[in-house]
Amino acid sequence: MSSFKERKIAKKKEEILRSAAAIFAEKGYHGTTMEEVAAKLLMTKGSMYYYFKNKDALLFHCHQMIMDKSIVTMEEIFNSPLTWTEKLTNAIKAHVQLATSEKSMFMVMDKPNQHFTDEYLQEILASRTKYAQYFDQILLEGIRSKEFQNIDVKMVRMIILGALNWIQEWYSPEGEKSGEEISEAFSAYLLKIVI
Amino acid sequence: MSSFKERKIAKKKEEILRSAAAIFAEKGYHGTTMEEVAAKLLMTKGSMYYYFKNKDALLFHCHQMIMDKSIVTMEEIFNSPLTWTEKLTNAIKAHVQLATSEKSMFMVMDKPNQHFTDEYLQEILASRTKYAQYFDQILLEGIRSKEFQNIDVKMVRMIILGALNWIQEWYSPEGEKSGEEISEAFSAYLLKIVI
Amino acid sequence: MSSFKERKIAKKKEEILRSAAAIFAEKGYHGTTMEEVAAKLLMTKGSMYYYFKNKDALLFHCHQMIMDKSIVTMEEIFNSPLTWTEKLTNAIKAHVQLATSEKSMFMVMDKPNQHFTDEYLQEILASRTKYAQYFDQILLEGIRSKEFQNIDVKMVRMIILGALNWIQEWYSPEGEKSGEEISEAFSAYLLKIVI
Amino acid sequence: MSSFKERKIAKKKEEILRSAAAIFAEKGYHGTTMEEVAAKLLMTKGSMYYYFKNKDALLFHCHQMIMDKSIVTMEEIFNSPLTWTEKLTNAIKAHVQLATSEKSMFMVMDKPNQHFTDEYLQEILASRTKYAQYFDQILLEGIRSKEFQNIDVKMVRMIILGALNWIQEWYSPEGEKSGEEISEAFSAYLLKIVI
DNA sequence: GATGAATGAGAGTTCATTCAT
DNA sequence: AATGAATGAACTCTCATTCAT
């Protein structure tokens, strides 16, 4: 049970993270100054340090905020009463949806080992591995159940995740394809690999 | 006909670029200092500026060195007397080969609009577009000749390039899969999308 | 109505400008480092950038501080109910007084087009022109009212300003002539040109 | 008796000095790089060091080249069989002529104590003093012979030299007044101070 | 005589971070 | 809970100078 105060702080933190993510996405981690992040929220540089202990922490929590969301969604999909084909389809669609609706957050997730040192890096990589393993699991079970062909799971997972992670680099809300259309196309085409 | 001196200087420049690319790849552009790049070559910071006018130029020429190579290879493949299926296969394989053998260079190519301002950015983007268009062309002609199914060219190209560009993030020469094996797997699986 | 904080910051800025001017005057703009200016005020280099965005700005504001003072004084003299002869005398005396009491500031005003680029240069030159025009105006009105002979206004103004601007190069508070004496001599001798 | 070689070197040195002076005049001493000076003469930076031991020497010899000329001219005027009034007139005219025809050289002479350290500074200041003393001498003799009024020699000399040294700051060959006209005006007006 | 290449000391500037208030 | 001010370490870049060839 969180107090009103705690909830207020949590809300402020998320505000900061979203703002930071947007700028990180546009200018990159190093290209972004604490001042910019603060200014966008009508705060001062100094105040940010009340909420996050340093710039690294800002990036880290951006990472985790989106990873947590992604993993929760994946869990739901994985545990749903669907065929593996359907699960893979849904996993791909869910990723596309998030990647297009939260473009900034996703861009921030790039090249973690260039930005983090040990303390945070372990956690980040753990999240990523966990996310990747859901795909592996789905592929594996799909093969076992004869829904999928006998593919090289790791290679196919890399192809799928590569295609998905590339979306942030080219997707634009003003582009010709909507997130919905991309998710349809991606799931349809990528499924052809496994079936 | 280039003089001895010109060739010598060109060689030195390439040396510098390779050295720079290796560090850029490891630590990112901003995480890399001119001093580090110089030190690795037993030079001094100041000397670097004799060969490249600034840090941006270093990154830019890394970009172009690998893009030029990639595009030349693509041209050869495109103009060869093969079926479109074979051409697509070869294009994918060639990309994997380069991406794995020149991992550092490829990593450097990431997020150009975060690192460059107008003067260089235009040229970079032009190269990328040119490279992408070879894939589009192959896909288009493959469809026209009925070798490929009636796919959405842009979406499929994005999937292919996404998968290929992701390789640098996970490939390691010490990993379980060789570049050769990856190129076989990727070409085989990606071809399933179009056929 | 300026707040306490605003006045405090303004005071600090003026402190910095005076300190900077003193060193600029002694060593020249390029011969002066930001570190020296800061050190003289027991600050660090970095802190200076909190008050002035760069070295240029420091010089620019030195310029404008003294030009503003000069112009205000000239305005008063120009609008006072005196004869043109008295006005010219006072203008010369006022300049000498300022040039001798604020020697450093005046030395800094030298060769603006070597130190400034467009953004600042326009403003600097505008101030200078404005100052010069007061002399022209006085000379012109003096001629019209028959107080002065029919002289070439521009040439005489150049002689007067030249003589005045040279003072900073040789005046020393420890010298044999006081500012007061110089102002008497200069006004008396220069008046002989126009009468 | 100088050999052919020596004369060739001397000629090259003067070429360099003129070129250097032009750039110094435009950009200031610190704003000028050895490279620029060299480039203007189609030389390389390194070659300059064959003729002048360093940048300071370049500036110093610019100084002395023009001071030598000025002093020789003054000597001639001083020793000519003319009245003191005529001598002063000629001295002023000669200075204006040189200042307008060799604008760059004259600009370079500015603020010697900011650019030189002991070795050169003494010599520079000696030249300047010598030049100034010719004016003092003329004024003094003019007073003694009752041609001039009983003026304060130092003050008047400062006015004259100030007016003359200011010319470089505003004179332009494309301006409305020719060097000839300026010399007429300046000598006429400045004479009014002493007579 | 000339130069290409290298050097190294130092400059201006930026910015994450701290902390008294 | 917020902030203004200060800091200092790091970084990019410049340039006079040197010297082997």
Side-chain angles (χ1 to χ4, degrees):
Chain A
M1 186 181 59
S2 60
S3 71
F4 172 68
K5 218 180 204 170
E6 276 164 347
R7 262 180 295 127
K8 205 182 147 199
I9 286 193
K11 203 185 142 196
K12 189 99 185 187
K13 279 189 176 183
E14 187 169 335
E15 246 183 83
I16 295 175
L17 288 182
R18 304 200 86 80
S19 183
I23 312 189
F24 284 153
E26 192 195 348
K27 311 195 170 183
Y29 180 68
H30 282 102
T32 301
T33 69
M34 292 298 269
E35 196 130 38
E36 282 174 301
V37 178
K40 205 182 163 189
L41 292 160
L42 306 177
M43 290 178 145
T44 61
K45 222 178 358 176
S47 309
M48 307 266 315
Y49 284 83
Y50 179 76
Y51 297 99
F52 293 96
K53 80 169 207 276
N54 57 28
K55 199 181 171 190
D56 271 25
L58 225 50
L59 186 64
F60 173 72
H61 287 103
C62 284
H63 252 98
Q64 291 311 73
M65 190 198 277
I66 201 69
M67 277 311 283
D68 287 353
K69 252 194 199 165
S70 301
I71 287 173
V72 165
T73 308
M74 277 299 268
E75 251 159 20
E76 283 170 16
I77 292 169
F78 189 81
N79 295 320
S80 64
L82 301 169
T83 66
W84 298 108
T85 305
E86 287 165 333
K87 286 181 186 181
L88 182 57
T89 304
N90 287 351
I92 290 169
K93 283 186 178 175
H95 187 116
V96 176
Q97 294 292 2
L98 254 182
T100 50
S101 63
E102 304 262 25
K103 194 180 182 238
S104 307
M105 284 282 181
F106 266 80
M107 287 203 78
V108 154
M109 295 176 50
D110 186 65
K111 302 241 167 61
N113 28 16
Q114 269 175 24
H115 300 310
F116 294 115
T117 44
D118 278 351
E119 37 173 357
Y120 288 141
L121 192 55
Q122 298 312 320
E123 211 169 326
I124 297 276
L125 295 181
S127 301
R128 298 197 152 212
T129 303
K130 193 170 177 188
Y131 189 68
Q133 280 173 340
Y134 278 111
F135 276 94
D136 284 0
Q137 209 63 34
I138 293 175
L139 291 173
L140 216 56
E141 298 292 344
I143 295 167
R144 198 168 296 162
S145 69
K146 310 283 188 201
E147 286 183 47
F148 301 156
Q149 294 185 29
N150 189 28
I151 51 171
D152 180 327
V153 170
K154 194 188 160 194
M155 285 295 104
V156 171
R157 183 244 292 163
M158 288 304 192
I159 287 174
I160 293 173
L161 285 182
L164 292 177
N165 285 327
W166 186 243
I167 292 173
Q168 308 119 42
E169 309 293 321
W170 56 266
Y171 172 75
S172 153
E174 290 89 29
E176 54 181 40
K177 286 272 199 298
S178 68
E180 186 63 38
E181 289 168 311
I182 296 167
S183 79
E184 289 296 337
F186 267 55
S187 56
Y189 290 130
L190 288 170
L191 258 293
K192 291 178 71 179
I193 294 174
V194 299
I195 292 176
Chain B
M1 187 183 57
S2 61
S3 71
F4 171 68
K5 244 174 199 156
E6 277 165 346
R7 262 178 297 128
K8 204 182 146 198
I9 213 174
K11 204 184 139 196
K12 187 100 189 187
K13 279 188 175 184
E14 188 167 336
E15 246 183 84
I16 294 176
L17 289 182
R18 304 200 86 81
S19 183
I23 313 189
F24 284 154
E26 191 195 348
K27 310 195 169 184
Y29 180 69
H30 283 103
T32 302
T33 71
M34 291 299 269
E35 201 136 33
E36 281 174 302
V37 178
K40 203 183 164 187
L41 292 161
L42 305 177
M43 286 180 156
T44 60
K45 209 175 15 171
S47 307
M48 306 270 317
Y49 285 85
Y50 183 79
Y51 295 97
F52 293 95
K53 79 170 204 281
N54 55 29
K55 199 183 171 187
D56 271 26
L58 223 51
L59 186 63
F60 172 72
H61 286 104
C62 283
H63 252 99
Q64 290 312 72
M65 191 198 276
I66 202 69
M67 275 313 276
D68 287 353
K69 255 192 199 168
S70 301
I71 287 173
V72 165
T73 307
M74 277 298 267
E75 250 159 23
E76 283 169 17
I77 291 169
F78 189 83
N79 296 320
S80 62
L82 300 169
T83 65
W84 299 109
T85 306
E86 287 164 332
K87 285 181 186 180
L88 182 57
T89 305
N90 287 351
I92 290 168
K93 284 185 178 176
H95 188 116
V96 176
Q97 295 292 1
L98 254 182
T100 50
S101 63
E102 305 262 24
K103 191 179 184 242
S104 306
M105 284 283 180
F106 266 81
M107 286 203 78
V108 153
M109 293 176 52
D110 188 64
K111 303 243 166 58
N113 25 17
Q114 269 175 23
H115 301 309
F116 293 116
T117 44
D118 276 353
E119 38 175 355
Y120 287 142
L121 194 55
Q122 298 310 321
E123 213 169 323
I124 297 278
L125 295 181
S127 301
R128 298 197 154 212
T129 302
K130 194 171 177 189
Y131 189 68
Q133 281 173 340
Y134 276 112
F135 276 95
D136 284 0
Q137 209 63 35
I138 292 175
L139 291 173
L140 217 55
E141 297 292 342
I143 296 167
R144 199 169 297 163
S145 69
K146 310 282 189 203
E147 287 182 49
F148 301 157
Q149 293 184 29
N150 191 28
I151 51 170
D152 180 328
V153 169
K154 194 187 159 195
M155 285 295 105
V156 170
R157 183 242 293 161
M158 288 303 193
I159 288 174
I160 293 174
L161 285 182
L164 292 176
N165 285 327
W166 186 244
I167 292 173
Q168 308 118 42
E169 310 291 323
W170 56 267
Y171 172 75
S172 153
E174 291 89 27
E176 54 182 38
K177 287 271 199 299
S178 70
E180 186 63 37
E181 289 168 311
I182 296 167
S183 81
E184 289 296 337
F186 267 57
S187 55
Y189 290 131
L190 289 170
L191 257 293
K192 291 178 71 179
I193 294 175
V194 299
I195 290 174
Chain C
M1 187 182 54
S2 60
S3 70
F4 172 68
K5 243 173 199 156
E6 275 165 349
R7 262 179 295 127
K8 204 181 147 198
I9 213 173
K11 204 183 140 196
K12 187 100 191 186
K13 278 188 176 184
E14 188 167 334
E15 246 183 83
I16 294 175
L17 288 182
R18 303 200 87 82
S19 183
I23 314 189
F24 284 154
E26 191 195 348
K27 310 195 169 184
Y29 179 68
H30 282 103
T32 301
T33 69
M34 291 300 270
E35 201 138 32
E36 281 173 302
V37 177
K40 204 183 164 189
L41 291 161
L42 305 178
M43 286 179 157
T44 60
K45 209 171 21 164
S47 306
M48 306 270 315
Y49 285 85
Y50 184 78
Y51 295 98
F52 293 95
K53 80 170 202 281
N54 55 29
K55 200 182 171 188
D56 271 27
L58 224 50
L59 186 63
F60 172 72
H61 286 103
C62 284
H63 252 98
Q64 290 311 71
M65 191 198 277
I66 202 67
M67 276 313 277
D68 287 353
K69 255 192 199 168
S70 301
I71 287 174
V72 165
T73 307
M74 277 298 267
E75 251 159 23
E76 283 170 17
I77 292 169
F78 189 83
N79 295 322
S80 64
L82 300 170
T83 65
W84 298 109
T85 307
E86 288 165 330
K87 285 181 186 180
L88 183 57
T89 305
N90 287 352
I92 291 168
K93 284 185 176 175
H95 188 116
V96 176
Q97 295 291 4
L98 255 183
T100 51
S101 63
E102 304 263 25
K103 191 180 184 239
S104 304
M105 284 283 181
F106 266 81
M107 287 203 77
V108 153
M109 293 175 53
D110 187 64
K111 303 242 166 58
N113 26 17
Q114 268 175 24
H115 300 310
F116 293 115
T117 45
D118 277 351
E119 36 173 357
Y120 288 143
L121 193 54
Q122 299 309 322
E123 213 170 324
I124 296 277
L125 295 181
S127 301
R128 299 197 152 211
T129 302
K130 193 170 177 190
Y131 190 68
Q133 280 174 340
Y134 276 112
F135 276 96
D136 284 0
Q137 209 63 34
I138 292 175
L139 290 173
L140 218 56
E141 297 291 344
I143 295 167
R144 199 170 297 165
S145 68
K146 309 281 189 205
E147 286 183 48
F148 301 156
Q149 294 183 29
N150 191 27
I151 51 171
D152 181 328
V153 169
K154 195 188 159 193
M155 285 295 105
V156 171
R157 183 242 293 163
M158 288 302 191
I159 287 173
I160 294 173
L161 285 182
L164 293 176
N165 285 328
W166 186 244
I167 292 173
Q168 308 117 43
E169 309 292 322
W170 55 267
Y171 172 76
S172 154
E174 291 89 29
E176 54 182 40
K177 288 271 199 297
S178 70
E180 186 62 38
E181 290 169 310
I182 297 167
S183 80
E184 288 296 338
F186 268 55
S187 56
Y189 289 131
L190 289 170
L191 257 292
K192 292 179 70 178
I193 294 174
V194 299
I195 291 176
Chain D
M1 184 182 56
S2 61
S3 71
F4 171 69
K5 218 179 205 173
E6 277 164 347
R7 262 180 295 128
K8 205 183 146 197
I9 285 191
K11 204 184 141 197
K12 188 99 188 187
K13 279 188 175 183
E14 188 169 335
E15 246 182 84
I16 294 175
L17 288 182
R18 304 201 85 81
S19 184
I23 312 188
F24 284 153
E26 192 195 347
K27 311 194 170 183
Y29 180 68
H30 281 103
T32 302
T33 69
M34 293 297 270
E35 197 130 38
E36 280 173 302
V37 178
K40 203 183 165 189
L41 292 160
L42 306 177
M43 288 178 146
T44 60
K45 220 178 359 175
S47 308
M48 307 266 315
Y49 284 83
Y50 179 77
Y51 296 98
F52 293 96
K53 82 169 204 280
N54 56 28
K55 200 183 171 188
D56 271 24
L58 225 50
L59 186 64
F60 173 72
H61 286 104
C62 284
H63 252 98
Q64 290 311 73
M65 191 198 274
I66 200 68
M67 276 312 282
D68 287 353
K69 252 193 198 167
S70 300
I71 287 173
V72 165
T73 308
M74 276 299 267
E75 251 159 21
E76 284 171 13
I77 291 170
F78 189 82
N79 296 321
S80 64
L82 299 169
T83 65
W84 298 109
T85 306
E86 288 165 332
K87 285 180 187 180
L88 183 55
T89 305
N90 287 352
I92 290 167
K93 284 185 177 175
H95 188 114
V96 176
Q97 295 291 2
L98 254 181
T100 50
S101 63
E102 304 263 24
K103 191 180 183 238
S104 306
M105 283 284 181
F106 266 80
M107 287 203 78
V108 155
M109 293 174 53
D110 186 66
K111 303 241 165 61
N113 27 16
Q114 268 175 24
H115 300 310
F116 294 116
T117 44
D118 279 351
E119 38 174 357
Y120 287 142
L121 192 55
Q122 299 310 321
E123 211 169 325
I124 297 277
L125 295 181
S127 301
R128 299 197 152 212
T129 302
K130 194 170 178 189
Y131 189 68
Q133 281 174 339
Y134 276 112
F135 276 95
D136 283 0
Q137 209 62 36
I138 292 176
L139 290 173
L140 217 54
E141 297 291 344
I143 295 166
R144 198 170 297 162
S145 68
K146 309 283 191 203
E147 287 183 47
F148 300 157
Q149 293 185 28
N150 189 28
I151 52 172
D152 180 328
V153 170
K154 196 189 159 193
M155 285 295 105
V156 171
R157 183 242 292 162
M158 287 303 192
I159 288 173
I160 294 173
L161 285 182
L164 292 176
N165 285 329
W166 186 244
I167 292 173
Q168 307 118 44
E169 308 293 323
W170 56 267
Y171 172 75
S172 152
E174 291 88 29
E176 55 181 39
K177 287 272 198 295
S178 70
E180 185 62 40
E181 290 169 310
I182 295 166
S183 81
E184 289 296 340
F186 267 56
S187 55
Y189 289 130
L190 289 170
L191 258 293
K192 291 180 70 178
I193 294 174
V194 298
I195 291 177

